[in-house]
Amino acid sequence: MKKNSRNIILALVVGTVLGVLVFASTAYGQDVVSLRGQAALDAQSVPSEITKSQTEVPPMKRVYVQQPPLIPHSIDGYKIDLRNNKCLICHSWANAKMSGATKISATHFKDRDGVELADVSPRRYFCTQCHVSQENVQPLVQNEFMPVKSLRK
Ligand code: HEC
Ligand code: HEC
């Protein structure tokens, strides 16, 4: 008898926790709208607006130490493929002095095992995989991230 009532209480507790979790996840899901908007999967969505790079504002501060810095200039038409990498024409160590661009950091020469290479590591070759132009857009999801005090600038 005692064991039975303990089982019932346990079932109630587990049920309540699961219910709260399911409710929280669906409520969260409804808040987040993707760039496609709320259109059904098989329906045409309104194309998202193409915004202009913000070149007239100073480079935006990095929010955390390991953040890839945003690009403070337009990159329209900059090609990155097997033979050309427009970004390196200004950002490589050889050309940075002449172009006035920031040199790519030493981390960009390391392969995934931390071995230093003589040139940009293949995993850092496609710059726009990590670096994006700074644009005046609203975040899809708000967040309140703050770096730890000792790392704030
Ligand atoms: C014609 C030369 C030129 C080309 C090509 C170029 N950049 Fe730049 N880039 C600059 C200069 C100059 C700055 C510094 C601007 C400033 O600080 O206001 C800069 C700044 C940046 C920064 C900010 C660095 C920092 O320390 O905050 C990033 C990131 C960047 N560029 C990425 C790229 C990427 C990615 C590409 C290719 C898609 C590219 N750039 C192509 C000249 C260039
Ligand atoms: C896999 C992601 C990734 C790729 C790909 C990548 N970067 Fe970066 N980049 C970062 C991160 C993260 C940082 C900041 C931390 C650091 O310096 O490693 C950074 C820093 C930089 C900086 C600032 C350096 C400094 O001293 O402040 C420049 C300029 C830059 N990258 C340019 C480039 C260019 C040009 C390419 C393409 C050839 C490129 N990056 C490819 C992630 C990436």
Side-chain angles (χ1 to χ4, degrees):
M1 195 62 195
K2 224 176 167 194
K3 206 171 167 196
N4 258 350
S5 50
R6 208 191 305 137
N7 281 347
I8 290 171
I9 292 174
L10 194 68
L12 278 175
V13 170
V14 170
T16 315
V17 169
L18 279 180
V20 167
L21 283 179
V22 167
F23 175 77
S25 63
T26 47
Y28 179 74
Q30 275 163 7
D31 277 355
V32 180
V33 180
S34 81
L35 281 175
R36 280 188 89 238
Q38 295 281 37
L41 274 182
D42 55 355
Q44 283 282 357
S45 63
V46 182
S48 50
E49 193 190 343
I50 295 179
T51 52
K52 268 183 112 180
S53 311
Q54 288 193 306
T55 46
E56 66 287 356
V57 296
M60 288 180 192
K61 269 204 206 140
R62 299 181 207 184
V63 183
Y64 56 95
V65 183
Q66 303 86 351
Q67 182 195 323
L70 295 174
I71 309 173
H73 55 72
S74 165
I75 55 164
D76 287 354
Y78 285 7
K79 238 184 174 173
I80 306 175
D81 60 27
L82 187 63
R83 286 188 186 78
N84 314 287
N85 185 322
K86 177 81 178 178
C87 315
L88 289 174
I89 288 180
C90 294
H91 286 279
S92 71
W93 282 44
N95 301 337
K97 207 164 188 187
M98 170 268 296
S99 68
T102 328
K103 286 193 295 226
I104 51 171
S105 35
T107 55
H108 291 38
F109 292 84
K110 283 190 187 147
D111 71 8
R112 65 176 184 182
D113 301 316
V115 177
E116 296 273 0
L117 308 177
D119 207 342
V120 182
S121 169
R123 64 186 192 136
R124 301 281 190 161
Y125 186 78
F126 294 98
C127 320
T128 45
Q129 225 178 305
C130 304
H131 296 280
V132 292
S133 291
Q134 35 186 56
E135 311 213 345
N136 187 13
V137 287
Q138 289 306 311
L140 285 179
V141 180
Q142 298 293 335
N143 88 64
E144 294 161 358
F145 175 83
M146 283 286 273
V148 289
K149 233 181 184 164
S150 54
L151 292 179
R152 275 181 220 160
K153 282 191 237 160

